Amino acid sequence: MARPKIHEDDLLDRLTEVFQAHGYEGASLSRLSKATGLERASLYHRFPGGKEEMARVVLDRAAGWLVRHVLAPLREPGRPEERVARMAGLLGEYYLQGRRSCLLDTLSLGGEDSPFQSRVREAMATWVEAMASISSEAGLPREEARRRAEDALVQIQGGLVVARGTGSREAFLRVLDDLPRLLAGTDG
Amino acid sequence: MARPKIHEDDLLDRLTEVFQAHGYEGASLSRLSKATGLERASLYHRFPGGKEEMARVVLDRAAGWLVRHVLAPLREPGRPEERVARMAGLLGEYYLQGRRSCLLDTLSLGGEDSPFQSRVREAMATWVEAMASISSEAGLPREEARRRAEDALVQIQGGLVVARGTGSREAFLRVLDDLPRLLAGTDG
DNA sequence: GTCTATAGCTTGATAGAC
DNA sequence: GTCTATCAAGCTATAGAC
């Protein structure tokens, strides 16, 4: 732990990118090694649990990011609409305006047998609840707030899939722009 | 070609399911063999190009389905809203109400180097154009019709991702129910 | 903490019997 | 047209030097 923290963070960033781009099965140790500059054995030294542990750590880290940047705005000052806009801006940065995929998408392949299913489920639930809270605080009835939060997650995820599939990030950016209205607006 | 056509169709159905559930890299020949009941070598007899050809055929077949069930309603009788509802119903069946993932999602991992990138892009473009046409026919200005069609694709794909991730298909079904209003409504 | 070397298994793919 | 047997290459993972 005498190592500079930036080192560890950089490493996790690189690993994250590979899992985002290729999913779990596509993230071979060769790719992970190449992306990090560390040999396979060095990766095993840091992650004795191997590839599965890497994905777990990377996913938990992303979930932590989510809590810090999506849940946090709840306790910050400002109108709900402004806070949602801030969240949208941070999401845009995180996903590089749609150039990166979401781990909750790429690590959820394989269905029931996936070792990450429960983690993905929890992360999505947390995300939805946080957005539902903002929406509720904005004055919307509980049920509608929750519905809108689910729709928001649907649109974010769909925007990323469409961006990856078409190469055009336009629709994803429109989703982000529209988030304040969707979650906190009274006309939508 | 003396074989009953049902055989070939069944085979392609099974292959499709594996690619939907596991993506390209996760669809190992073991899984494809197990799912079809054919040994590896038999699969190679039918698909000399191997796994990549299997995915290509499966993807082209899905694109064909799309043309027949999404483009076709354009030329059928009925109000645009009704025809969109019919498309939504067919999509619900195709994706088993959200229990199945979309090939355009699962085969688009890997980014630029993916051998299916152009196919996925074309399929998504076709899909959007078809929906934009219905929307335009419903009386919406060209630009808005196209925007709504893109949003529709975003919501369909997002609904499937969220269904896979959360295990709850509620949000996806809501997307389908809402499609007629989104594409042909004057209030959304 | 990183490396080289290697083990053992699974992968995608082929040859040839039936 | 399907199979068994087999191949080389890639995979995940480990051992041990430095």
Side-chain angles (χ1 to χ4, degrees), chain B residues 10-160:
Chain B
D10 264 7
L11 176 64
L12 290 174
D13 281 343
R14 310 293 178 89
L15 294 177
T16 300
E17 285 166 27
V18 178
F19 284 112
Q20 283 173 331
H22 297 95
Y24 184 72
E25 314 236 24
S28 65
L29 284 179
S30 313
R31 280 180 175 142
L32 295 165
S33 166
K34 198 167 164 186
T36 58
L38 286 182
E39 290 301 322
R40 273 172 264 250
S42 306
L43 288 173
Y44 274 92
H45 179 261
R46 304 222 186 185
F47 305 92
K51 191 170 119 169
E52 189 170 325
E53 184 182 350
M54 294 182 218
R56 227 184 306 122
V57 169
V58 150
L59 185 50
D60 286 345
R61 182 165 171 265
W65 185 94
L66 211 74
V67 168
R68 284 194 308 279
H69 293 85
V70 180
L71 259 173
L74 270 178
R75 300 175 187 158
E76 285 177 6
R79 299 187 0 255
E81 216 159 342
E82 281 168 359
R83 286 181 270 158
V84 171
R86 175 158 164 72
M87 175 188 87
L90 290 166
L91 288 176
E93 285 176 32
Y94 184 82
Y95 294 115
L96 292 185
Q97 324 300 332
R99 273 176 286 264
R100 276 193 195 149
S101 298
C102 181
L103 287 174
L104 303 182
D105 171 11
T106 67
L107 289 184
S108 66
L109 288 188
E112 318 272 326
D113 12 332
S114 163
F116 314 108
Q117 202 205 1
S118 70
R119 276 184 161 75
V120 168
R121 186 195 303 260
E122 283 166 28
M124 283 192 175
T126 302
W127 197 345
V128 166
E129 281 155 26
M131 291 193 291
S133 289
I134 303 186
S135 190
S136 181
E137 192 188 339
L140 291 153
R142 257 196 194 297
E143 201 179 345
E144 164 133 7
R146 183 175 177 81
R147 193 181 55 76
R148 290 200 189 194
E150 287 175 3
D151 289 353
L153 181 57
V154 162
Q155 291 184 28
I156 292 164
Q157 293 295 334
L160 290 171

Side-chain angles (χ1 to χ4, degrees), chain A residues 144 147-148 151 154-155 178 181-182 188, chain B residues 80-82 84-89 91 131 135 140 148-149 151-153 155-156 169-188:
Chain A
E144 164 135 8
R147 195 182 53 76
R148 291 201 187 193
D151 290 353
V154 161
Q155 292 185 26
D178 204 44
R181 189 202 56 78
L182 174 59
Chain B
E81 216 159 342
E82 281 168 359
V84 171
R86 175 158 164 72
M87 175 188 87
L91 288 176
M131 291 193 291
S135 190
L140 291 153
R148 290 200 189 194
D151 289 353
L153 181 57
Q155 291 184 28
I156 292 164
R169 299 176 296 272
E170 196 183 350
F172 174 64
L173 296 176
R174 197 163 54 232
V175 165
L176 293 185
D177 281 348
D178 204 44
L179 273 184
R181 191 201 56 78
L182 174 60
L183 287 173
T186 55
D187 58 342

Side-chain angles (χ1 to χ4, degrees), chain A residues 60-109:
Chain A
D60 286 345
R61 182 164 170 266
W65 185 94
L66 210 76
V67 168
R68 285 193 306 281
H69 292 85
V70 180
L71 259 172
L74 270 178
R75 302 178 184 157
E76 285 176 7
R79 298 183 5 250
E81 216 158 342
E82 282 168 358
R83 286 180 270 161
V84 171
R86 176 160 165 69
M87 175 188 85
L90 289 166
L91 288 176
E93 287 177 32
Y94 184 82
Y95 294 115
L96 293 184
Q97 324 299 331
R99 272 176 286 263
R100 276 194 194 149
S101 298
C102 181
L103 287 174
L104 302 183
D105 171 10
T106 67
L107 288 184
S108 66
L109 288 187

